[in-house]
Amino acid sequence: MTAAPAGYSATMFPVENLRDWTGLDIIDTDSKKIGTLEAVYVDTLSDEPLFVTVQFGLLTRHLAFVPVVGATVTPRAVRVQYTKDQVRDAPQIPTDGELAAADEPKVFAHYHLDYGTRPERRLARR
């Protein structure tokens, strides 16, 4: 992935718009539906979107985390740069649950992303 031009976010869309897409399908690189966009999680320092949660499951609904870096928007869905299997194997929380601070590094590690060494929480739900 190339660096974003000066003045542009690497995510290529503002967080306000991303929240508007709650309820849209999340699809993988092969256009397979992973689930439904449930929430946006932003970096606590920059307020830039880092992850979305994807709701899936027929009997027991769970939320999995998926990075938004490289995501694109289609007329009816948000396409992420990860496969359905990668997302389904990611750390999950119940639909009425909350991501524990101790579990944040696991979410980043699953996608081989650098969590950093900040002592405070890195993700906040918007």
Side-chain angles (χ1 to χ4, degrees), residues 33-36 54-63 84 88 92 95:
K33 181 178 176 181
I34 299 170
T36 305
V54 179
Q55 183 174 333
F56 64 91
L58 296 174
L59 299 176
T60 59
R61 298 217 177 252
H62 288 87
L63 303 174
K84 186 175 186 174
R88 297 229 171 176
Q92 300 175 15
T95 54

Side-chain angles (χ1 to χ4, degrees), residues 69-102:
V69 159
T72 56
V73 180
T74 71
R76 296 181 188 191
V78 177
R79 177 177 283 121
V80 295
Q81 296 299 306
Y82 298 91
T83 67
K84 186 175 186 174
D85 289 339
Q86 284 175 300
V87 175
R88 297 229 171 176
D89 290 341
Q92 300 175 15
I93 58 174
T95 54
D96 60 350
E98 183 178 316
L99 180 65

Side-chain angles (χ1 to χ4, degrees), residues 12-113:
M12 302 185 359
F13 41 77
V15 71
E16 307 85 55
N17 293 345
L18 189 57
R19 279 195 306 254
D20 291 342
W21 300 330
T22 299
L24 286 182
D25 290 344
I26 297 290
I27 58 175
D28 70 6
T29 53
D30 295 325
S31 297
K32 292 180 186 171
K33 181 178 176 181
I34 299 170
T36 305
L37 193 150
E38 191 272 337
V40 177
Y41 284 75
V42 299
D43 184 294
T44 56
L45 289 181
S46 69
D47 211 41
E48 288 288 319
L50 291 178
F51 289 87
V52 293
T53 51
V54 179
Q55 183 174 333
F56 64 91
L58 296 174
L59 299 176
T60 59
R61 298 217 177 252
H62 288 87
L63 303 174
F65 289 82
V66 62
V68 295
V69 159
T72 56
V73 180
T74 71
R76 296 181 188 191
V78 177
R79 177 177 283 121
V80 295
Q81 296 299 306
Y82 298 91
T83 67
K84 186 175 186 174
D85 289 339
Q86 284 175 300
V87 175
R88 297 229 171 176
D89 290 341
Q92 300 175 15
I93 58 174
T95 54
D96 60 350
E98 183 178 316
L99 180 65
D103 292 334
E104 282 187 3
K106 295 174 189 171
V107 172
F108 282 76
H110 177 75
Y111 293 104
H112 307 288
L113 299 172

